[in-house]
Each structure stands twice: as structure tokens, then as C-alpha cells.
Amino acid sequence: MTHLLDVQDLVVKFRLRSGDLTALNGINFTLNPGERMGLVGESGAGKSVAGFSIINLISKPGFIASGRVLFEGEEISAYPLEQMRDIRGNRISMIFQDPMMTLNPVLTIGTQMVETIMAHNKVSVTHAREIALEKLSKVYISSPGKRLGQYPHELSGGMRQRVVIAISLLTNPSLIIADEPTTALDVTIQAEVMALLLELCRDDNMGLILITHDLGVVSQVTEKIAVMYAGRIVEQGPTEAIVSAPRHPYTQGLIKALPQGGGGGGRLHQIPGMMPNLTSIPPGCAFHPRCEHAMDICRRETPQLFGDGQTPGLVACHLYAQTR
Amino acid sequence: MKAHTTEPLVSITNLVKHFDISGGFLDRISFAGGLPSLTTTTVKAINGVSLDIRQGEILSVVGESGCGKSTLGRTVLGLYPPTSGKIAFRDMRIDNLSAQDMLPYRRRMQMVFQDPYASLNPRMTVRQILEEPTRFHFPDLSTSQVQDKVAEVMRQVGVDPAWAGRFPHEFSGGQRQRISIARALMVDPEFIVADEPISALDVSIQAQILNLIMDCQERFGLTYMFITHDLSVVEHISTRVAVMYLGTLCELADKKNLYGDPQHPYSRALLSAIPRLGTKGFSHIRLKGEVPTPINLPTGCVFHTRCPHVNERCRNEIPKLLGRPNGSQAACHALEEGRI
Ligand SMILES: Nc1ncnc2c1ncn2[C@@H]1O[C@H](COP(=O)(O)OP(=O)(O)OP(=O)(O)O)[C@@H](O)[C@H]1O
Ligand SMILES: Nc1ncnc2c1ncn2[C@@H]1O[C@H](COP(=O)(O)OP(=O)(O)OP(=O)(O)O)[C@@H](O)[C@H]1O
Ligand code: SF4
Ligand code: SF4
Ligand SMILES: [Mg+2]
Ligand SMILES: [Mg+2]
């Protein structure tokens, strides 16, 4: 079976005056059709850069230095811009944290939707409007007919994000990349938007890459997780396995730092220190200055992601390499 | 364990805070029936909230964006004058004090903000940031006493006193938030309003700040009003929780009660939506409709446009906050009538 997405050794750098900064340091993962993956980690870990680079949306000083991205078997990372644009917003859709990244404030919802549909399909305006209406009802927008005539600012935040989801569905993509789609929303609305996204992915067998720092949301929505730290994936595997039995000390720390429910009120586990600035990543394992298990080898050699063939998932940590 | 009592430190009675956002004369002029008239637009941010904050407790305030959490905190601290109602600190009414008489309360009640970047003056060193309020409120302290206090408080919040000469931008987000907590602690406050103090921080750093907040509660007997939208955090650190909707208090309950046995229909919906680690899929209570604006408040119960249990009485009559058999307090006709 061909993978929906196959990311191989992707390296992304930013050309700065002080030299090149490596934001993504060789990441690898695959996604099957209809599979949902969470990309988690702290601010600055490289989650958004990873998401953007898949569809070659890296902005100016940034560039893909090496690696390949295969989408439905095609090497899209080698595509010229024109061809890439065709894939973006057609077979792969992107949803951003801020719906206004997608919506044009001076056009009505209807105009934006009809234009998108007509840019990708040879249909009449009337037919395009029908498609738009259908998609709006699909994301549970009430009185969709009325919404077509409204401007983005006339809608609430949650409604705007649902409109963005409706727009991203217009072309029946097989992959959605959602970068913190509900971070700006209230819990009740977040639950609604995420439940919707999950339902739509299941119904139409769409793949999903969900970028977020919220492990709770990831565990509700995804089947597998990749945990990023300082530009690398340090652990990946089935969501349940990672949430219930994380193996990388960083993942363990992240999960233990969360209030566990039950209202215990005791001290929370805290990971000492903070994630390094990408301009000064420590040698060896980038996590070693914060890791309570750090050994000599951790300061010298960068651990590679590997699996032991028994435990599900992959982990990049010398603790496990030793017992290999 | 924690030394909280049932004695109120801060009492809020029938608090109302409205903002006039009509704008200038020309913005307000309108023509009805050919005659010019002036319109007023009012944001009804807080609409009759009564609650006590007890000595030594962490009272969390939750509710969706725009429901009035920050306004409540700021009005309590006297940063906004209330439209009506009363605020008392240790039985002393403080909402109508002159600036001079308010001064001691400005010291005893402090605020920590969400954004440590914006709330710390970028041109001042940490030492200056910490010394300034101390000299202001304790003019009798000698220079060396102030310096000692700076070092002591920096140690308490876990920032190396050797870094006192640095500027805020030289610190990480978590360290900056420690510094803003240190600034509040410098003047020996009794009460702190913490408005989303961890929202801008990463999970591993959030834990550090929450631990610090809980430490200060224990070590100095500090009382907090803790404002956040993270309901897992609320469950962890609160003593009691106030659930707000459109400027109104829906439910006031002990943490265990609220999470184990939420009463108000809005609390039930809110708690059902918490994303939990290790839970697959969604089983939240779906609310219909959109949140109304505080400019056009619904009549009767402010939640009636979205409530699954609404009836005629709800549309007309504002429900009162009443005691429940489980010890919580909730404002809902359906509960009072035993319908739910
Ligand atoms: N335009 C840019 N110029 C220079 N460096 C950049 C740029 N965009 C991103 N970076 C670098 O890439 C790193 C990864 O950024 P990215 O936005 O992917 O983080 P993230 O994991 O999405 O974090 P967040 O949770 O805050 O969104 C950052 O640490 C930053 O240093
Ligand atoms: N200074 C002000 N002038 C005018 N309106 C205001 C002012 N401060 C707050 N409001 C309005 O009062 C209402 C309550 O705002 P508030 O900031 O208290 O909400 P909140 O619950 O803290 O929301 P969030 O979770 O987004 O911080 C909002 O409609 C807001 O627009
Ligand atoms: S490789 Fe070493 S330093 Fe890195 S996480 Fe594993 S034990 Fe810790
Ligand atoms: S008073 Fe009526 S509308 Fe308000 S919460 Fe109770 S049942 Fe719902
Ligand atoms: Mg990002
Ligand atoms: Mg606020």
C-alpha cells in the first residue's frame, strides 16, 4: 500500500545573518490514508515548521535543505511552485490557529467559498453556491443561507473556524494539516470544533496532522503521536501507548507535568530548565541538560529514533539503546 | 494542609460593572423618526455578582472568553470603579475610598497578569522592577533592607538573585512570570488576583508557576482569585470555583463538588468539554446557538438562549443563587423546581 504521506529525513533551515539555523533536523514519519496523527511539543520545537514544510509553505528566510516528502506516492517536495499550489488547497488543506489567515475580511463567506470552488472545479456559480451551502451545513453552521451573505467579522470565533473547516473541505482533500486549530477557542467551542473535525475525517477517510501542545486533545482525536523536541522527533507511536506509557524522559516529563485529574492539589512534576534556543542546541541528546537520566554518552552522541521490535513505537534515547 | 478558613477576606456584594462604549458625540448621534437623538451603547460586563473570597483559599473563576472574569478581578482590586455594588476587604468597604485611603489596600491586594512581557517594564532591571513598589509602600526601609528583601524574594520564586541586574528580555517566559510574581510578593500582599498567569507558558513551565502559586499559599497564607480557562488546572489547584456566564455567577462550589457533581446546566456543559488525557473521542454536552453579547443581554436567565432545559420562566425571571443539597450554590430555575 502507498502511504498517504511519507516524510523522509526532512531538514529545514532558516538563513539568518548570524548563519543558518536548523529548525527541523531530519524528521521521518508516514501517514496512512485516513490516519490521524498528533504533532506535539513545546513552543519552538518545530511543529509548525514541520507542518508548513510538508506543503512547502516555509516563509522567506526558511528553506528545505534536504529530505523528501511523498504524497500519495508523488514526490511533491520536488514540485515547482505552480504544481505545489495545485496540491495545496486541493488535495491537502491547511487550517491555521487564526481563522483570519484563511478568510478574507472584506469578502462575504459566500464569495470566498464560491471562488474557491470555481478555482478548482468547472461548475456554475449556482452549483458552487449549492456546494457551499452543503459544506456549511456539514460543519453545523445554523442558517447557512444567511451566512453566505455575511462577512467574517460578523461571526463568532468558533463559527469562523468552522467556516474555515468548511472551506478546507470544498475540494475533498485527502489530507488536512491543522495547526493549533482550537487554541484560541473556549473549551466548549473547542470540543465542538474538534469533534467535528474528527467526524469529518472519519466519514471521508481523510488523513489529519493535528499540531497542538494539548495532549488531552491529541488523545481524543488521533491514533498516533510524534513528540518533537528542539527540531527532532524524539518519540512516536500509537497514541494510547504514548499517553499511558511514555518512554522518552521528555515525554514522561510532559505528561507528568499535567494535572492528573481528581483534584489532588499536590506539587506538579516540573521539568527543570527550558527548551534550548535553536541557535544553541546542546551537543548529543538535546534534552540532556534537563534529563534526570543523562549519561556520558548523552552528552556526546545524538540518539536516533529506533524501535526494539516489541514495544510499539519508536524512541530516540540512549536509555533504550543500551538494552538493544 | 492548607490553612484556609471560611472567614471572608474579600466580600463582593451585588457587583455591577458596565462599560459605556458609545464613543464620541458624532458616533452616538442617530436619527429616529427624523429627529436626532443620542444613543448609548453599554457593555454589561458584570451583572450583580455576590461572592466571598475566604481567607487562605484559591478561588478560581472560570467561564468563556468575555464572560467578565478579568473585569471582576480588576473591579475587586479597585482598578475599575464599580457601577454599583460593594467590595469589602476584611469588613472594610473599599470601593468608595479616596486614593489616599485606598493606598494601604493597593499594597495588600496585588495582581499578576497573563503576559509577563507586557506587564514588566522592558527598560528597568529586575532589581529596579522589584525595588520600586517596595520603596513606595515601605518608605521607612533602608536601602540595604530593600536590597535584602529583593534577594530574599528572588530566591523564594526561584530566580537567582545574581541576575537582579538583568532586563526582562534576558529571561525566559517562565522566569519572567516568576519575576512578576516576585514583584507582587515584594509588598507582603494578603490577596492576589492572578489573571491567566500560565496561559502564555509551556506545559513544563506551567507546572513550575502553579507550584510556586501553591507554595505561596501555604507558606504565606496568601489568598488568591485565580482566573483561567484551563479547567484541568482549576481542578488541581483550587479550593472553590466560581463559574461565570455573561457577567453572572452560575455556580459557586467546592472544587470536589463542582467536578464530581456539577449543578448548573452551564457548568455541566463546561466540565463535559474538558479534554482529558487517555479519553478517546468526545462525549461533551452540545450547546445550541452562539454566546449572546454582553451588549444585548438575554432577559431572565442569561443562559436561556443555549440551555437544554429552558422554559418560559427562564426567559422572564432572573434565577437567584441558591444553596443545593450537595452544598454548592447555583442559579437555575430548573434546579430549584427539581426539573433536573
Ligand atoms: N521566520 C522565521 N525566522 C527564523 N526562525 C524561525 C522562523 N520561523 C520559525 N523559526 C524557528 O523555528 C523554530 C520552530 O518554530 P515553530 O514555529 O515550528 O515552533 P512550534 O513548535 O510550532 O512552536 P509554537 O508551539 O510556539 O507554535 C523556532 O524556534 C524558531 O526559532
Ligand atoms: N475597559 C473596557 N472597556 C469596554 N469594554 C470592556 C472593557 N474591559 C472589558 N470589556 C468588555 O467586558 C466584557 C468582559 O470582558 P473581560 O475581559 O472581563 O472578559 P474575560 O472573561 O476576562 O475574557 P477572556 O477570557 O477573553 O480574558 C467583554 O465583552 C469586554 O469586551
Ligand atoms: S538520551 Fe540521555 S539525556 Fe537524552 S533523554 Fe535519553 S537518557 Fe536523557
Ligand atoms: S434558569 Fe432555565 S435557562 Fe437558566 S440554566 Fe436554569 S433551566 Fe437553563
Ligand atoms: Mg506553531
Ligand atoms: Mg480576561
Side-chain angles (χ1 to χ4, degrees), chain A residues 103 109 136 139 141 155 159-167:
Chain A
L103 299 174
I109 304 297
L136 283 180
V139 299
I141 295 271
L155 308 180
M159 221 194 263
R160 252 179 258 162
Q161 197 59 294
R162 278 182 282 159
V163 168
V164 166
I165 294 176
I167 290 178

Side-chain angles (χ1 to χ4, degrees), chain A residues 42-43 156 159 162 186-187 190-192 194-195 215-217 219-222 240 243 255 258-259 261-263 265-271 274 290, chain B residues 2 64-65 172 202-205 207-208 210-211 214-215 231-233 235-236 255-256 269-270 273 275-282 284 286-287 290:
Chain A
E42 293 178 279
S43 189
S156 70
M159 221 194 263
R162 278 182 282 159
D186 282 311
V187 257
Q190 160 170 304
E192 210 129 286
M194 284 318 311
L215 282 160
V217 170
S219 93
Q220 280 176 301
V221 174
T222 65
E240 273 173 14
V243 163
I255 289 175
L258 295 172
R267 281 186 76 77
L268 292 163
H269 174 81
Q270 48 188 67
I271 307 177
M274 52 189 262
R290 305 175 72 186
Chain B
K2 285 159 198 168
E64 40 210 297
S65 181
S172 70
D202 272 317
V203 175
S204 72
I205 315 297
Q208 300 172 8
L210 291 172
N211 284 340
M214 293 187 289
D215 284 350
L231 293 161
S232 313
V233 166
E235 181 179 20
H236 190 81
K255 165 181 70 186
K256 286 248 154 61
L270 194 63
R276 297 272 191 194
L277 212 57
T279 324
K280 280 218 161 304
F282 294 84
H284 63 288
R286 290 202 60 180
L287 294 176
E290 300 291 328

Side-chain angles (χ1 to χ4, degrees), chain A residues 20-294:
Chain A
D20 282 357
L21 175 148
T22 308
L24 221 52
N25 203 338
I27 64 164
N28 289 283
F29 67 87
T30 59
L31 201 67
N32 290 326
E35 201 172 25
R36 300 179 301 277
M37 179 176 100
L39 207 51
V40 304
E42 293 178 279
S43 189
K47 306 181 295 296
S48 298
V49 168
F52 287 125
S53 59
I54 291 168
I55 48 174
N56 212 336
L57 255 190
I58 288 296
S59 51
K60 247 311 158 40
F63 62 99
I64 296 179
S66 60
R68 306 200 306 160
V69 179
L70 305 179
F71 173 67
E72 295 179 334
E74 301 167 39
E75 188 177 343
I76 58 171
S77 48
Y79 280 3
L81 204 62
E82 197 70 2
Q83 217 173 341
M84 195 60 218
R85 264 199 213 115
D86 209 43
I87 297 219
R88 251 186 248 150
N90 200 357
R91 290 156 65 196
I92 304 180
S93 284
M94 183 115 193
I95 300 172
F96 303 95
Q97 171 172 348
D98 180 359
M100 294 315 284
M101 297 262 297
T102 309
L103 299 174
N104 185 333
V106 301
L107 298 180
T108 62
I109 304 297
T111 309
Q112 306 191 39
M113 294 185 82
V114 166
E115 275 179 2
T116 310
I117 298 165
M118 294 181 65
H120 291 283
N121 304 284
K122 292 190 178 59
V123 293
S124 67
V125 177
T126 329
H127 189 195
R129 270 184 70 91
E130 277 163 25
I131 300 177
L133 279 177
E134 178 213 316
K135 299 289 179 185
L136 283 180
S137 341
K138 210 165 174 185
V139 299
Y140 303 108
I141 295 271
S142 57
S143 32
K146 185 177 140 211
R147 305 296 176 200
L148 286 182
Q150 289 187 307
Y151 291 90
H153 74 263
E154 298 178 77
L155 308 180
S156 70
M159 221 194 263
R160 252 179 258 162
Q161 197 59 294
R162 278 182 282 159
V163 168
V164 166
I165 294 176
I167 290 178
S168 72
L169 295 176
L170 287 172
T171 54
N172 300 313
S174 48
L175 173 64
I176 292 191
I177 301 173
D179 191 358
E180 312 265 6
T182 55
T183 305
L185 304 176
D186 282 311
V187 257
T188 50
I189 301 164
Q190 160 170 304
E192 210 129 286
V193 171
M194 284 318 311
L196 170 70
L197 204 52
L198 176 61
E199 178 191 322
L200 295 171
C201 286
R202 280 194 180 137
D203 285 357
D204 297 340
N205 203 40
M206 274 185 301
L208 174 71
I209 295 178
L210 178 63
I211 298 171
T212 173
H213 57 265
D214 191 330
L215 282 160
V217 170
V218 165
S219 93
Q220 280 176 301
V221 174
T222 65
E223 300 157 301
K224 63 185 196 185
I225 295 185
V227 182
M228 292 193 63
Y229 189 80
R232 289 175 192 266
I233 293 177
V234 295
E235 180 164 10
Q236 66 181 56
T239 302
E240 273 173 14
I242 291 196
V243 163
S244 61
R247 292 196 294 157
H248 195 282
Y250 175 63
T251 322
Q252 292 174 344
L254 268 191
I255 289 175
K256 274 195 282 179
L258 295 172
Q260 296 300 308
R267 281 186 76 77
L268 292 163
H269 174 81
Q270 48 188 67
I271 307 177
M274 52 189 262
M275 195 167 66
N277 193 309
L278 293 186
T279 51
S280 53
I281 295 182
C285 170
F287 187 59
H288 85 249
R290 305 175 72 186
C291 180
E292 54 184 344
H293 306 290

